[in-house]
């Protein structure tokens, strides 16, 4: 694959840590006394967002650290037009204790994004797993909280968090992971469901719309490409919409595994959402190359063995990178086929070294993204660019 070079200059007023690579150059300008030297980082590879050419948004999830790291910020600004905060807008960070709101990180994130013309996706107002809802939500002193109290707290949380950034965010992941994993159950069995049934999802969307009327409101979940879960997703969209919930889009988390991308299921989901007139975002895209499926099989009996499995500690073998590239290319070709439905594609983290898949479900060196640990574009990057530049048949 041929890489055509173009120039884009990103200037930072910070010293450049780390190394130089063939696709980027740093030029230092002499500093005046007492002023830090300016480092200009020039990346020479093509730009993802330019290759997308506004057919959908090109996003990435990052933490605030990226913004103060010149080489990482250069990748961010060259390739992406949309950012999602990886953690700092979640309930456990914004309201760890009832009434104690913490916005330092989220404010810094929003301010950086605005200064750099990046659209922002809020993530997430409600993550419907027990471990992702602060315990105080369901307690009333020593007694369990009533449905009314929980709903009141939900309204306060959403109106405070979404209200703070009113007009500044393009989209919100309103509710995350509410559907049950098993095919038999509809909603995940949690305090939310036990107290309120579907009502907590409907109300979350209503509160979010009221707090930030112009934001695109998303229901976000994983593995909706499985037939059983897709059925439940369709049921959820139809049911909450019929009851007045202002849902605009669904988010497919898209945490795929190498060699196992469910292309047919993804296409079935895209078709179903096109019929329902609901937009789709690929909200958390990556491709695990030290795959995790076996971790969960046979009641977890392979976990001890897998916990020592780390096959690519330094470099990922070229044949794996090439195959990963082909799989990413096929995925983007499918996305382009549904560009009328797809609103955004967001990678979950900027480069391989930052991926959550290095730690979960066990520690290993993973290589799931388009940029390697040294910020070099991988074969998958070239494959995605080539796919984006190929005219759709
Ligand atoms: O900030 C603390 C630090 O103070 C502490 O020393 C350290 C010790 O473990 O933990 C740090 O917090 C970690 C946090 O990430 C920030 O690094 C948490 O333990 C860790 O659980 C948390 O993981 C995040 C996870 O969501 C849970 O919130 C991952 O970074 C993040 O990538 C992941 O993202 C989720 C999406 O929000 C929803 N979809 C699934 C996706 C992957 O799990």
């Amino acid at each position: 694959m041929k890489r055509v070079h173009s120039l884009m200059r990103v200037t930072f007023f910070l010293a450049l840590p780390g190394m130089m690579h063939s696709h980027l150059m740093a030029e230092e300008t002499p500093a005046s006394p007492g002023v830090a030297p300016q480092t200009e980082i020039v990346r020479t590879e093509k730009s993802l967002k330019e290759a997308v050419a506004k057919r959908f948004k090109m996003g990435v999830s990052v933490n605030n650290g990226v913004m103060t790291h010149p080489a990482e910020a250069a990748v961010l600004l060259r390739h992406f037009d949309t950012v999602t905060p990886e953690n700092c807008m979640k309930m456990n960070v914004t309201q760890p204790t009832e009434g104690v709101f913490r916005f330092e990180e989220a404010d810094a994130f929003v301010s950086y994004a605005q200064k750099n013309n990046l659209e922002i996706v809020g993530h997430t107002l409600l993550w419907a797993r027990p471990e992702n809802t602060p315990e105080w939500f369901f307690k009333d002193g020593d007694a369990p909280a009533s449905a009314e109290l929980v709903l009141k707290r939900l309204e306060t949380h959403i109106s405070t968090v979404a209200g703070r950034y009113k007009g500044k965010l393009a989209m919100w992941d309103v509710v995350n992971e509410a559907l049950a994993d098993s095919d038999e159950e509809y909603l995940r069995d949690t305090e939310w469901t036990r107290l309120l049934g579907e009502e907590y999802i409907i109300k979350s969307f209503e509160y979010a719309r009221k707090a930030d009327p112009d934001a695109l409101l998303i229901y976000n979940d994983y593995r909706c490409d499985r037939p059983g879960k897709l059925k439940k997703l369709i049921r959820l969209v139809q049911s909450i919409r019929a009851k007045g919930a202002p849902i605009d889009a669904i988010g497919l988390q898209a945490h795929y595994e190498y060699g196992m991308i469910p292309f047919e299921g993804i296409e079935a989901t895209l078709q179903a959402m096109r019929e329902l007139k609901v937009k789709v975002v690929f909200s958390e895209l990556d491709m695990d190359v030290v795959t995790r499926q076996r971790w969960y099989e046979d009641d977890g009996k392979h976990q001890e063995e897998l916990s020592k499995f780390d096959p690519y500690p330094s470099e990922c073998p070229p044949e794996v990178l090439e195959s990963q590239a082909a799989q990413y290319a096929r995925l983007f070709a499918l996305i382009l086929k549904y560009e009328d439905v797809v609103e955004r594609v967001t990678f979950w983290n900027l480069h391989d070294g930052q991926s959550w898949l290095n730690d979960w479900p066990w520690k290993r060196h993973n290589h799931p993204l388009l940029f390697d640990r040294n910020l070099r574009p991988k074969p998958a990057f070239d494959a995605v660019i080539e796919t984006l530049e190929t005219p759709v048949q």
Side-chain angles (χ1 to χ4, degrees):
M1 263 166 269
K2 201 166 61 176
R3 194 175 291 157
V4 180
H5 291 249
S6 66
L7 286 179
M8 185 211 182
R9 281 162 189 267
V10 187
T11 307
F12 294 92
F13 297 86
L14 290 163
L16 175 75
M19 50 199 94
M20 296 290 97
H21 305 288
S22 56
H23 63 279
L24 65 81
M25 298 176 283
E27 298 162 4
E28 287 210 351
T29 53
S32 322
V35 178
Q38 294 179 23
T39 300
E40 186 170 33
I41 298 178
V42 182
R43 293 194 64 95
T44 55
E45 77 276 8
K46 285 190 171 183
S47 152
L48 285 172
K49 67 182 175 192
E50 283 169 20
V52 172
K54 302 206 187 309
R55 285 170 287 182
F56 47 82
K57 300 281 172 194
M58 193 75 219
V60 63
S61 162
V62 293
N63 282 316
N64 288 11
V66 166
M67 301 162 181
T68 51
H69 186 293
E72 289 175 358
V75 178
L76 170 66
L77 298 178
R78 176 151 183 76
H79 293 288
F80 301 96
D81 50 28
T82 303
V83 273
T84 305
E86 187 178 5
N87 290 310
C88 70
M89 286 189 189
K90 291 173 181 170
M91 253 183 193
N92 62 321
V93 179
T94 53
Q95 198 184 179
T97 308
E98 184 166 24
V100 180
F101 286 91
R102 298 198 178 281
F103 290 117
E104 296 85 349
E105 266 188 86
D107 284 355
F109 186 94
V110 170
S111 149
Y112 176 89
Q114 285 195 307
K115 277 187 203 131
N116 289 284
N117 293 320
L118 294 161
E119 282 197 359
I120 305 160
V121 181
H123 174 83
T124 170
L125 292 169
L126 194 168
W127 189 348
R129 277 178 177 276
E131 65 272 30
N132 299 110
T133 307
E135 281 179 19
W136 60 262
F137 237 97
F138 299 113
K139 285 190 178 150
D140 186 3
D142 290 337
S146 65
E148 294 69 33
L149 179 59
V150 169
L151 214 48
K152 187 76 215 132
R153 286 171 169 167
L154 182 63
E155 182 174 17
T156 303
H157 182 78
I158 293 182
S159 64
T160 307
V161 178
R164 184 175 185 90
Y165 303 113
K166 180 181 175 183
K168 296 182 176 175
L169 271 56
M171 312 183 189
W172 262 112
D173 286 339
V174 179
V175 177
N176 196 39
E177 301 177 9
L179 293 173
D181 288 321
S182 77
D183 284 350
E184 298 74 41
E185 271 173 307
Y186 173 39
L187 297 179
R188 186 182 298 284
D189 182 21
T190 63
E191 289 299 306
W192 292 111
T193 315
R194 274 173 245 142
L195 287 169
L196 295 154
E198 249 182 5
E199 185 74 1
Y200 83 87
I201 305 174
I202 298 166
K203 287 291 179 204
S204 297
F205 277 91
E206 287 177 6
Y207 300 149
R209 176 66 93 228
K210 198 167 163 209
D212 193 356
D214 295 331
L216 185 106
L217 302 183
I218 302 165
Y219 171 75
N220 196 42
D221 213 329
Y222 56 85
R223 292 308 317 263
C224 294
D225 42 70
R226 286 191 178 133
K229 201 145 179 194
L230 175 56
K231 244 166 101 179
K232 291 189 288 185
L233 178 69
I234 295 169
R235 173 176 166 189
L236 178 83
V237 170
Q238 289 177 324
S239 174
I240 67 170
R241 213 162 47 175
K243 292 171 188 153
I247 178 172
D248 302 311
I250 60 106
L252 304 178
Q253 290 192 0
H255 292 300
Y256 299 129
E257 293 185 74
Y258 178 89
M260 298 180 233
I261 301 195
F263 292 105
E264 283 178 20
I266 298 168
E267 182 149 19
T269 312
L270 289 163
Q271 267 166 359
M273 295 305 130
R274 185 188 264 163
E275 279 160 30
L276 286 174
K277 299 198 174 9
V278 170
K279 294 286 182 193
V280 174
V281 299
F282 287 77
S283 56
E284 306 183 13
L285 176 59
D286 47 30
M287 196 193 302
D288 186 349
V289 297
V290 189
T291 56
R292 59 193 182 271
Q293 195 184 66
R294 209 161 153 258
W295 182 265
Y296 303 101
E297 284 171 0
D298 307 319
D299 294 323
K301 79 167 188 211
H302 312 291
Q303 291 182 0
E304 203 188 319
E305 172 201 338
L306 279 174
S307 64
K308 294 175 206 102
F309 185 58
D310 187 15
Y312 314 134
S314 46
E315 295 290 314
C316 189
E319 64 276 15
V320 174
L321 292 177
E322 287 304 329
S323 172
Q324 180 185 48
Q327 293 172 59
Y328 263 121
R330 189 170 163 198
L331 178 66
F332 272 80
L334 179 58
I335 290 171
L336 288 176
K337 196 172 153 193
Y338 287 84
E339 64 173 77
D340 59 313
V341 183
V342 177
E343 193 68 19
R344 166 171 56 89
V345 176
T346 288
F347 285 89
W348 202 248
N349 302 117
L350 189 67
H351 66 77
D352 285 345
Q354 289 177 336
S355 170
W356 68 294
L357 290 168
N358 291 301
D359 298 301
W360 189 84
W362 76 93
K363 271 205 175 301
R364 62 209 187 281
H365 291 78
N366 222 321
H367 308 266
L369 298 163
L370 301 192
F371 297 95
D372 70 14
R373 284 165 168 72
N374 293 319
L375 295 172
R376 285 179 302 224
K378 292 162 61 182
F381 171 87
D382 295 325
V384 169
I385 290 276
E386 190 172 282
T387 308
L388 291 170
E389 291 185 338
T390 304
V392 180
Q393 303 301 316

